[in-house]
Amino acid sequence: MARDAKCTSPMEQSGEDAARDLYDELTDDLLYDPAIGRATMMGYPCVRLAGRFLASYDDKAGCLVVKLPRERVTELVDNGDGDPFTPAGKVFREWVSIPEVDRGLWQTLLAEAVDFARKGLAE
């Protein structure tokens, strides 16, 4: 069963700061590519590849939000690693919120998001 879609995380404020620090660190690592840059999306900090959104950080909930193929989003939600991304109640089918702060998982998903964005550019 999926968790509350609001990315509820058991972290205290210092944990939320740690989550934001991890997001900043991992996305800084992506900036070696001149096509990747920082921006905002719906008021949230995000990274884009050649103008395409690929990841964001939900400051309110303290979770990573990534854009992936629908099938991967469904897999992450079904196995309990992610929650549907539903800002203002609308489900974004290619976006998933990752509430658990896990360096390895976040690195993997950010890499998948970059690959997914690159494939979109080729279409």
Side-chain angles (χ1 to χ4, degrees):
M1 179 172 228
R3 290 179 298 271
D4 181 355
K6 292 189 177 225
C7 292
T8 54
S9 177
M11 296 182 293
E12 297 174 13
Q13 181 61 35
S14 63
E16 289 177 12
D17 291 343
R20 176 59 192 262
D21 289 346
L22 180 60
Y23 169 83
D24 288 340
E25 177 187 338
L26 294 177
T27 54
D28 280 349
D29 290 346
L30 301 175
L31 299 178
Y32 73 89
D33 183 335
I36 295 178
R38 294 198 181 280
T40 59
M41 176 183 77
M42 296 183 288
Y44 297 121
C46 75
V47 287
R48 296 168 64 143
L49 173 85
R52 290 180 173 259
F53 293 110
L54 61 97
S56 183
Y57 180 76
D58 183 339
D59 285 321
K60 295 174 187 153
C63 60
L64 174 68
V65 181
V66 290
K67 185 174 184 182
L68 299 168
R70 288 182 185 191
E71 301 79 22
R72 180 65 168 134
V73 169
T74 299
E75 177 186 331
L76 289 163
V77 171
D78 288 350
N79 73 19
D81 286 329
D83 295 321
F85 181 58
T86 57
K90 180 181 183 211
V91 175
F92 284 59
R93 298 187 198 291
E94 291 185 331
W95 288 87
V96 63
S97 298
I98 309 297
E100 184 177 348
V101 180
D102 177 322
R103 174 181 292 276
L105 178 60
W106 284 22
Q107 280 180 312
T108 297
L109 295 175
L110 285 167
E112 289 179 26
V114 170
D115 289 344
F116 183 54
R118 284 192 200 290
K119 287 178 184 169
L121 290 175
E123 294 176 352

